[in-house]
Amino acid sequence: MAKVLVTGAAGQVGSRLVRQLLEKNYEVRGLILPEDPNRKRIDGLGIEVVEGNLMDVDTAIKVAEGVDAIIHTANLVGPLPGMSQSEFFANNVQATYNIAYAASRHADKLQRFVYTSSSSVYPNDSQILATAYNPVDELHPTRPIGTYAASKLAGEAVVQALSRETGMRVSMIRPSGIVSGTAVLSRWTVGFVSTILKIGQQHTKSALYMPDGTELWHELERAASSPQQPCAITDMEGRPWIYQLIHASDAAHGLICALESPAAVGEAFNAAAPRPITYPEAAEILARIKGQEVLQWRVPVRWVFDLDISKAKSWIGYQPKWDIARMIQTAADIEEGRADAAVVDL
């Protein structure tokens, strides 16, 4: 039985990854922070739990001993209270270096080191910087924006450098925007669309910038019954806005594909929902489930956030299962207390 170390084992992706590994009969060692408030996500699963901080290289070396593979999911998505942006960046990069370095000491024996990167390395945020083309594939230029995205691309460089030096077998997964619990419910609303339009008008290189200064969100907000109203937004030609996010369970599945497939070695793969999700489609589903009316709206700009996942599907057998209907229904069940968020969306 192969033993896999999962860093960040109590996180939204890590906890689902642990369960999926156990279902496939792997032995699991999970690294979590001391006094991790999310430890309950993995309590009772029968795995080896180690508390420690990857900022300490000795901890990284110790936790990497005696495992057959490592999947690195641990990272901060934003500064902790009192933490500066430079400390936030240093934390993500140093932690990645320490665990990758510890793994590289066993490069001849380690079956795989899988790094969880992000689609933010491209980036996919056309409300800030227009993409070079769509859908975004793995050949798209990497042009990270902000501290988090820079730290993920720096982590990729660290892992690749150690791989070249030691021969360590590595693979990287670049998930789209990760959701779980009830987070998906707000993404198809007037409030969310309005926020995207406002951000777009602040950035002259965005796909949404209006050179004449038109603030497109004002009419939208006046027409809506509330910020929570589902919004089926398109451009003036009727082309829908698109948002292809990913459920945390599918992100975990992608990481296992990268672990198990020989074709994954030395490669990076996009991971996202089964197909691009249009705003009219998602808004109709949300409205039906929550008993609301859809606001049909058109603007002279188009927001597209999508990833080409054909490489992952054809090379490593990535088969995402969480489509938008399942995401929204599960989130609504959790919100209404009809399901347990810790269990139902695994």
Side-chain angles (χ1 to χ4, degrees), residues 210-247:
M210 296 291 289
D212 63 1
T214 301
E215 296 180 335
L216 296 169
W217 57 90
H218 292 303
E219 287 189 26
L220 170 63
E221 292 175 346
R222 284 194 293 268
S225 59
S226 76
Q228 290 74 45
Q229 184 175 9
C231 185
I233 189 165
T234 68
D235 68 7
M236 303 307 288
E237 298 175 11
R239 297 179 302 171
W241 280 28
I242 291 174
Y243 188 13
Q244 190 179 5
L245 36 62
I246 184 174
H247 191 273

Side-chain angles (χ1 to χ4, degrees), residues 119-145 176 200 203-209 239 242-244 270 302-308:
S119 68
S120 66
V121 301
Y122 295 121
N124 222 6
D125 301 316
S126 62
Q127 73 274 22
I128 300 176
L129 178 65
T131 53
Y133 55 83
N134 291 94
V136 173
D137 61 20
E138 291 83 357
L139 297 178
H140 191 283
T142 52
R143 306 175 297 182
I145 298 172
S176 181
H203 298 275
T204 59
K205 294 184 178 180
S206 80
L208 306 181
Y209 181 71
R239 297 179 302 171
I242 291 174
Y243 188 13
Q244 190 179 5
N270 290 341
R302 187 174 184 229
W303 187 62
V304 177
F305 188 118
D306 63 354
L307 282 182
D308 185 335

Side-chain angles (χ1 to χ4, degrees), residues 8 28 34 41 48 87 103 105 114 136-137 154 160 163 175 183 188 195 204 218 227-228 239 257 263 271 276 295 323:
V28 178
R41 290 175 173 169
E48 177 188 357
E87 290 171 327
R105 288 159 51 96
V114 182
V136 173
D137 61 20
Q160 291 168 331
S163 174
W188 321 100
T195 297
T204 59
H218 292 303
Q228 290 74 45
R239 297 179 302 171
C257 291
L295 177 62
D323 61 19

